[in-house]
């Protein structure tokens, strides 16, 4: 198998780049991955993959030798991008780089995963457990990890571990940054800016609330804990006292207890506002479980060391560990071993100028192959 995979990697580098280009040209905002999902399913089927299906969350799932009761490992990469565009955003190749919105986060990783699905379908190596190849949905923003949640739920009883291919190769993510996201709305009587001057103004109340939230000092307990007001809107016109205003507020942390401290402060502020007679509505618009840091799990450590070894031997660079908010937040929340690693190098993620180094796909492709074939007889 070793020889076969090495020549597969060599011979299919161009096909991989072609596949990245095709995928980049299919828009896939979170919750609207239908077209990209259809493409992935059809493409896998054309390569001989059997049993591919799209689930209720728009995950494209290729279960390889997964038999009813067999334990499984999941390899996933997300199809969705942060851009709301429903028209193709283009791709260009220049100076050894590929430029396209979402090219590294996460299209190139999806393409490598599909290429490995193709390898399994064509060469049928005997696996030591079931291998689930999944191009999943809804990793970004308010996608709220819907794809990962559905996927982990489907296999939870027999799930050994999860590897998510996401972003760039720099570090191994072995800890979940959790988040709570809220929409906060304030309503007042409002009125005419001149005749009703002095009435309570929803925008001003909301701005005051934002200021109060920013008075909070994040815990200094070894965790990284942050908060942010990311969007604000409201009011009717320049000569109206605003009747309504709302904002999106987010708390993030890699530690459960620290996150709860910020939440407690947030809730206290809201309660004080209500007590003072302000009409405040709070809606939770996102919730990503956090944690894993400092928790000991032998299988987790084994998986981390396996990834580190493979990445370092294929890329020739040392790699370390980091925390982030990724699809692996879900397996982490169940105590299932998981890591997120990237298979390319690039920059400007989440901007329309995003790019990747074409040459970095060679080690990336090989890292994915070594990891997946680790669960096959050699
Ligand atoms: Zn991503």
């Amino acid at each position: 198998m070793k020889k076969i995979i090495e020549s597969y990697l060599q011979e299919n580098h161009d096909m991989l780049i072609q596949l990245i280009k095709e995928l980049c040209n299919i828009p896939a905002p979170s919750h609207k991955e239908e077209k990209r999902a259809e493409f992935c399913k059809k493409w896998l089927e054309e390569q001989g993959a059997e049993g591919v299906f799209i689930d209720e969350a728009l995950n494209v799932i290729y279960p390889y030798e997964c038999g009813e009761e067999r334990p499984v490992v999941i390899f996933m990469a997300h199809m969705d991008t942060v851009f709301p565009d429903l028209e193709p955003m283009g791709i260009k190749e220049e100076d050894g780089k590929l430029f396209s919105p979402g090219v590294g986060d996460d299209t190139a990783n999806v393409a490598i995963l599909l290429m490995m699905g193709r390898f399994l379908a064509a060469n049928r190596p005997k696996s030591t457990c079931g291998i689930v190849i999944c191009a999943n949905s809804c990793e970004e923003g308010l996608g709220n990890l819907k794809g990962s949640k559905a996927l982990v739920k489907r296999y939870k009883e027999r799930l050994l571990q999860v590897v998510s291919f996401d972003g760039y190769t720099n570090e191994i993510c072995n800890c979940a940054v959790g988040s709570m996201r809220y929409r906060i709305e304030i309503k007042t009587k409002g009125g005419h800016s001149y005749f009703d001057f002095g009435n309570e103004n929803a925008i001003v109340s909301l701005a005051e609330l934002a200021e109060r939230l920013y008075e909070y000092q994040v815990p200094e307990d070894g965790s990284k804990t942050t908060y942010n007001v990311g969007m604000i809107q409201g009011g009717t016109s320049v000569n109206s006292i605003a009747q309504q205003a709302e904002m999106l507020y987010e708390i993030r942390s890699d530690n459960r207890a620290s996150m709860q401290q910020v939440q407690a402060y947030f809730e206290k502020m809201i309660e004080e506002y209500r007590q003072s007679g302000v009409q405040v509505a709070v809606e939770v618009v996102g919730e990503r479980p956090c944690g894993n840091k400092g928790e000991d799990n032998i299988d987790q450590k084994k998986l981390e060391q396996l990834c580190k070894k493979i990445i370092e031997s294929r890329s020739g660079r040392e790699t370390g560990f980091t925390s982030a908010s990724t699809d692996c937040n879900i397996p982490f929340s169940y105590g299932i071993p998981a890591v997120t690693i990237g298979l390319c190098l690039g920059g400007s993620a989440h901007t329309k100028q995003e790019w990747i180094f074409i040459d970095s796909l060679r080690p990336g492709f090989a890292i994915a192959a070594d990891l997946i074939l680790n669960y096959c007889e050699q």
Side-chain angles (χ1 to χ4, degrees):
M1 203 47 68
K2 259 205 143 26
K3 260 202 174 137
I4 304 174
I5 188 67
E6 292 307 327
S7 53
Y8 182 77
L9 296 174
Q10 286 291 329
E11 285 159 17
N12 291 291
H13 181 71
D14 291 345
M15 184 178 184
L16 169 63
I17 291 162
Q18 189 50 40
L19 182 57
I20 294 172
K21 289 179 178 171
E22 278 179 67
L23 283 166
C24 279
N25 271 321
I26 309 170
S30 308
H31 298 291
K32 294 189 181 119
E33 298 93 342
E34 289 90 349
K35 279 191 186 150
R36 208 179 268 208
E38 270 309 323
F39 174 92
C40 292
K41 176 171 181 276
K42 196 162 158 264
W43 189 90
L44 279 167
E45 285 167 348
E46 283 165 5
Q47 314 305 319
E50 285 169 15
V52 183
F53 63 99
I54 298 177
D55 76 1
E56 69 288 353
L58 295 181
N59 290 318
V60 183
I61 301 175
Y62 171 31
Y64 179 76
E65 295 194 343
C66 286
E68 285 294 294
E69 304 290 316
R70 256 189 133 196
V72 301
V73 292
I74 290 177
F75 292 93
M76 63 197 295
H78 69 88
M79 290 181 288
D80 60 321
T81 66
V82 291
F83 308 97
D85 304 57
L86 291 169
E87 293 301 316
M89 289 173 283
I91 178 149
K92 78 173 186 223
E93 193 178 330
E94 211 176 274
D95 300 331
K97 294 175 179 170
L98 278 181
F99 291 83
S100 183
V103 62
D105 181 17
D106 196 26
T107 311
N109 289 289
V110 172
I112 290 178
L113 184 67
L114 293 179
M115 289 296 287
M116 285 311 299
R118 175 177 183 263
F119 179 86
L120 295 177
N123 295 282
R124 311 248 11 128
K126 208 166 171 324
S127 67
T128 52
C129 57
I131 298 174
V132 174
I133 300 284
C134 175
N136 67 284
S137 66
C138 285
E139 191 272 346
E140 299 286 4
L142 298 180
N144 217 6
L145 309 185
K146 182 179 164 195
S148 180
K149 282 176 186 161
L151 184 66
V152 170
K153 192 169 159 225
R154 176 177 298 273
Y155 293 103
K156 209 174 85 194
E157 310 308 327
R158 52 187 179 127
L159 185 51
L160 298 175
Q161 62 187 46
V162 178
V163 176
S164 166
F165 296 128
D166 198 350
Y168 312 133
T169 321
N170 308 322
E171 279 174 314
I172 299 165
C173 168
N174 64 346
C175 177
V177 173
S179 61
M180 284 299 295
R181 291 164 177 174
Y182 304 93
R183 177 178 290 119
I184 304 155
E185 185 185 34
I186 289 185
K187 281 187 176 162
T188 61
K189 191 158 154 258
H192 191 283
S193 62
Y194 190 74
F195 300 115
D196 300 311
F197 184 65
N199 277 5
E200 193 195 329
N201 183 316
I203 292 176
V204 176
S205 294
L206 192 72
E208 280 168 5
L209 176 60
E211 199 181 345
R212 295 289 292 280
L213 293 173
Y214 269 74
E215 280 165 12
Y216 184 75
Q217 300 289 323
V218 292
E220 285 177 34
D221 53 5
S223 72
K224 179 160 182 180
T225 306
T226 63
Y227 53 79
N228 185 52
V229 172
M231 275 180 93
I232 188 161
Q233 59 183 15
T236 315
S237 70
V238 69
N239 54 352
S240 305
I241 298 171
Q243 284 188 293
Q244 187 271 354
E246 61 181 64
M247 65 182 175
L248 292 178
Y249 175 71
E250 175 199 68
I251 306 169
R252 284 188 180 227
S253 183
D254 55 9
N255 180 287
R256 235 170 259 142
S258 319
M259 178 116 138
Q260 282 161 359
Q261 283 180 45
V262 193
Q263 271 175 279
Y265 176 79
F266 169 70
E267 279 157 20
K268 194 171 137 238
M269 282 305 114
I270 297 290
E271 200 40 52
E272 279 183 24
Y273 256 63
R274 283 193 180 130
Q275 302 255 321
S276 70
V278 182
Q279 196 188 332
V280 193
V282 176
E283 181 196 355
V284 175
V285 291
E287 184 173 6
R288 296 176 172 218
C290 89
N292 185 48
K293 198 172 200 178
E295 286 167 20
D296 255 341
N297 177 330
I298 295 169
D299 292 328
Q300 173 70 33
K301 294 277 169 288
K302 267 193 201 158
L303 176 61
E304 290 170 9
Q305 290 311 315
L306 174 71
C307 290
K308 186 172 162 65
K309 199 179 99 196
I310 291 174
I311 292 172
E312 291 182 350
S313 81
R314 288 295 194 168
S315 71
R317 289 181 305 111
E318 236 183 271
T319 183
F321 296 95
T322 187
S323 313
S325 179
T326 71
D327 276 324
C328 285
N329 284 39
I330 303 304
F332 283 146
S333 71
Y334 290 110
I336 297 167
V339 290
T340 298
I341 60 172
L343 301 174
C344 58
L345 289 172
S348 303
H350 291 198
T351 74
K352 292 208 165 173
Q353 289 72 41
E354 190 182 2
W355 59 273
I356 58 168
F357 280 120
I358 294 174
D359 274 349
S360 71
L361 294 164
R362 285 186 191 276
F365 197 0
I367 290 164
D370 285 355
L371 256 170
I372 293 172
L373 293 183
N374 185 58
Y375 304 93
C376 295
E377 286 174 10
Q378 298 298 318

